[in-house]
Amino acid sequence: MRVDRFLSNLPRFNRKQVRLLLVEKRVRVDGTIVSDPHAEVLEFSRVEVDDEVLQLGKPARYFMLHKPPGCVSATRDPQHPTVLDLIHEPDKNDLHIAGRLDFNTTGLMLITNDGSWSRRLTQPQTKLPKVYYVETEQDITADYAITFAKGLYFAFEDLITQPAELVVLGAKSARLSIVEGRYHQVKRMFGHFDNKVLRLHRERMGPLLLDDALKPGEYRPLSVEEIRLI
Ligand code: URA
């Protein structure tokens, strides 16, 4: 939200007062004086006017998890372990998953409390590739790559999938890169050829690669550089 809107939403300031506060350089966001009314205020920002704290801000948090098979991409589940059960952090109830995986899918999962960061990562408009290693029941033939590049019709959503890139690695294995994350998307794409996906592993989301050092079930915080890449 813009800082001028943030301030004028408070009952104590009208728009004229907000303009003055900014011109008089009395507003600080995360310790820096701001006079630009367009400057951004996030839920994580500390906002002060003179010496008074108007919003404390909270730490933004970002983790990379190596999802093991047999756990649900949800914050709660009555029957099965969830990925959040693997995270041992304070305030973990504020965290959400950026891009779910199916119960038996493994690999890179990103978890954060920053909604705009996770939207940038997952929305199809940003076209960040999600890269999967796939093993199938039947052979993968040359026509798969052509069909996936053209896009497939998904009747339930009534849409054509965005162009996807398939690199065949072996008779029954491939690497697939997609820019969206429709429900069971990869399985449905191979399902078009009546070919069942037996193993599915997410290796990458945009510029973020699953860390080799993480064993299934382990996680680590993202570095500042990794966070900034999104
Ligand atoms: N596509 C699927 O079908 N399943 C996943 O878990 C991820 C992508």
Side-chain angles (χ1 to χ4, degrees):
M1 184 189 300
R2 289 166 48 149
V3 68
D4 59 348
R5 191 158 307 148
F6 172 88
L7 292 169
S8 51
N9 278 351
L10 302 172
R12 50 201 283 193
F13 301 126
N14 61 33
R15 286 199 189 176
K16 194 170 163 207
Q17 289 168 317
V18 168
R19 265 199 303 277
L20 265 177
L21 288 173
L22 289 165
V23 169
E24 290 170 354
K25 301 195 183 304
R26 292 166 60 194
V27 181
R28 265 179 298 154
V29 176
D30 292 329
T32 305
I33 290 178
V34 294
S35 46
D36 178 1
H38 296 90
E40 205 178 3
V41 170
L42 305 171
E43 55 185 315
F44 309 109
S45 314
R46 180 183 174 90
V47 184
E48 293 159 276
V49 168
D50 300 329
D51 285 330
E52 194 180 344
V53 180
L54 300 183
Q55 178 175 277
L56 215 44
K58 58 178 181 178
R61 314 174 72 209
Y62 309 85
F63 302 99
M64 164 185 297
L65 168 82
H66 185 163
K67 181 188 175 294
C71 79
V72 185
S73 289
T75 44
R76 241 170 259 140
D77 189 272
Q79 269 184 311
H80 301 288
T82 71
V83 289
L84 262 250
D85 292 335
L86 300 166
I87 305 271
H88 306 289
E89 297 291 328
D91 298 334
K92 76 173 188 177
N93 292 334
D94 287 349
L95 299 173
H96 63 268
I97 297 157
R100 291 159 182 264
L101 293 173
D102 294 339
F103 189 63
N104 277 323
T105 303
T106 58
L108 175 62
M109 179 152 266
L110 296 165
I111 295 168
T112 180
N113 60 353
D114 182 347
S116 40
W117 189 87
S118 60
R119 265 192 300 285
R120 284 200 296 285
L121 189 73
T122 53
Q123 64 193 1
Q125 295 91 304
T126 49
K127 297 223 182 322
L128 286 180
K130 285 79 186 175
V131 182
Y132 293 87
Y133 170 77
V134 190
E135 284 178 8
T136 56
E137 196 168 65
Q138 316 293 332
D139 284 1
I140 301 167
T141 52
D143 47 337
Y144 283 47
I146 300 163
T147 306
F148 290 174
K150 278 195 204 139
L152 274 170
Y153 180 63
F154 276 8
F156 183 71
E157 296 91 340
D158 189 26
L159 56 79
I160 310 270
T161 55
Q162 303 261 342
E165 196 184 308
L166 185 79
V167 176
V168 178
L169 302 172
K172 294 183 168 89
S173 61
R175 183 162 286 119
L176 177 67
S177 177
I178 57 177
V179 294
E180 57 207 328
R182 307 280 165 204
Y183 181 65
H184 291 331
Q185 177 154 350
V186 177
K187 290 176 187 159
R188 287 160 79 193
M189 289 171 76
F190 282 88
H192 172 82
F193 294 96
D194 279 331
N195 196 352
K196 190 170 171 191
V197 170
L198 300 181
R199 179 158 181 240
L200 189 55
H201 177 81
R202 185 157 65 196
E203 299 175 332
R204 183 156 76 82
M205 293 181 82
L208 298 175
L209 268 177
L210 179 62
D211 187 333
D212 282 349
L214 290 177
K215 297 194 188 71
E218 291 182 346
Y219 73 97
R220 67 158 171 84
L222 294 187
S223 67
V224 174
E225 293 75 31
E226 286 173 323
I227 296 163
R228 288 211 186 111
L229 287 171
I230 303 299

